Amino acid sequence: MDVKKVLLISQEIDPYLNSSPLAAFSRGLAQGIQEKGAEVRSFMPKYGAINERRNQLHEVIRLSGMNIIIDDTDHPLIIKVATLQPTRLQVYFIDNDDYFYRHSPGKLETVDSAAENDERTMFFVRGTVETVKKLRWEADIVQCAGWITALTPLYLKHIYNEDPSFRNSKIVYSLYNDAFEGDLDARLADKLRQEGFDEAQLATILNPEGNVDYIRLNKLAIDHADAIVESAEGIAPELIEYAKASGKPFLPYSEAEQGAAAYHTFYQSL
């Protein structure tokens, strides 16, 4: 396919948080794909640890103001944006006082208030998708990186599949070694059913104990993505085997070939 527009949805992007492998990967991929001639827009959560003044974030009033309903509760959507210099790469931030702090408590919200991670990922994914819709921007590729993006393929394939911004998109999910401890709220499956998903679409979400763990969340992403990328070393073998068994296009990890050029070539093959 002719790749002109790439939407990067990431858990972390340099330089907005203390550097991590995932943040560095996301920044490098976005910049590299842009240098290949594609238009790139990036989205990440607006964690409390992000210094808005230093990073020159500002609210986009015309995109903010929507309420996203999760489990029968309204949550206002706030959109902020910054521009990475000198590349002029636009990064959008999904914000909400219920899920993201105004100031850093020392840890990211995904760790400090992990009990809310199920709704946090739902809000982040839906907030991102609704913002792209408002921008009337049609993505050729939707690249997802980090477990907080894992519900994106599910939403795009079954809720937003007829929307002009996404109906022709290919969804690529990156497997990354960013596992969280414990399980997500056991009611996540119920909350997703309220969104309109059926049992077949959620078939792999619960482990034998009836909970949603890191492995199951990633399997759900694999089920609904168009292609899978092994974006780091140390991925759980169970996930690699599951991705390969899906029969979907799979880009294995290669330290010598992890630059944007390899991803761009992979995107074009879809």
Side-chain angles (χ1 to χ4, degrees), residues 37-240:
E39 182 181 350
V40 179
R41 293 194 178 181
S42 301
F43 282 75
M44 69 173 288
K46 167 51 186 73
Y47 301 105
I50 296 173
N51 187 309
E52 295 190 35
R53 178 174 295 181
R54 183 173 64 241
N55 291 294
Q56 299 184 350
L57 273 65
H58 64 271
E59 184 176 352
V60 187
I61 301 298
R62 69 183 179 90
L63 298 176
S64 301
M66 178 186 299
N67 279 357
I68 292 180
I69 301 173
I70 298 176
D71 201 24
D72 294 327
T73 302
D74 285 358
H75 302 276
L77 174 63
I78 302 168
I79 306 299
K80 297 175 181 177
V81 69
T83 303
L84 276 171
Q85 301 294 350
T87 62
R88 300 196 61 77
L89 182 71
Q90 284 191 310
V91 181
Y92 292 85
F93 298 83
I94 301 299
D95 198 5
N96 170 269
D97 290 346
D98 297 326
Y99 300 119
F100 301 106
Y101 302 137
R102 289 183 178 273
H103 303 287
S104 173
K107 296 180 179 178
L108 291 185
E109 292 85 328
T110 51
V111 176
D112 189 68
S113 57
E116 299 171 350
N117 277 343
D118 66 317
E119 293 190 7
R120 185 173 286 113
T121 181
M122 291 175 67
F123 181 85
F124 173 63
V125 169
R126 287 189 55 195
T128 295
V129 173
E130 292 293 345
T131 303
V132 175
K133 284 179 56 181
K134 277 192 174 183
L135 290 169
R136 297 185 177 181
W137 198 73
E138 299 178 21
D140 298 312
I141 296 290
V142 179
Q143 169 72 64
C144 306
W147 66 260
I148 205 170
T149 74
L151 294 179
T152 306
L154 178 71
Y155 275 97
L156 293 187
K157 286 298 183 183
H158 302 289
I159 301 295
Y160 297 95
N161 53 313
E162 295 300 324
D163 189 273
S165 291
F166 301 106
R167 63 188 172 198
N168 296 317
S169 301
K170 295 295 184 182
I171 307 163
V172 181
Y173 185 71
S174 278
L175 295 174
Y176 215 86
N177 50 359
D178 61 335
F180 54 79
E181 295 182 1
D183 301 320
L184 297 182
D185 190 313
R187 288 196 59 243
L188 174 57
D190 290 335
K191 294 172 186 178
L192 289 171
R193 291 185 189 99
Q194 291 177 35
E195 301 277 276
F197 298 110
D198 61 33
E199 296 303 318
Q201 293 158 358
L202 301 175
T204 58
I205 196 171
L206 298 177
N207 63 22
E209 290 72 37
N211 298 315
V212 184
D213 57 24
Y214 176 80
I215 295 294
R216 289 289 174 159
L217 186 64
N218 277 270
K219 285 185 175 181
L220 185 72
I222 293 169
D223 285 345
H224 301 281
D226 293 301
I228 316 299
V229 180
E230 184 182 2
S231 292
E233 297 178 288
I235 307 300
E238 182 178 353
L239 290 177
I240 299 297

Side-chain angles (χ1 to χ4, degrees), residues 6-20:
V6 176
L7 173 63
L8 171 66
I9 308 175
S10 181
Q11 193 162 304
E12 303 174 20
I13 302 175
D14 266 348
Y16 299 107
L17 295 171
N18 291 334
S19 185
S20 71

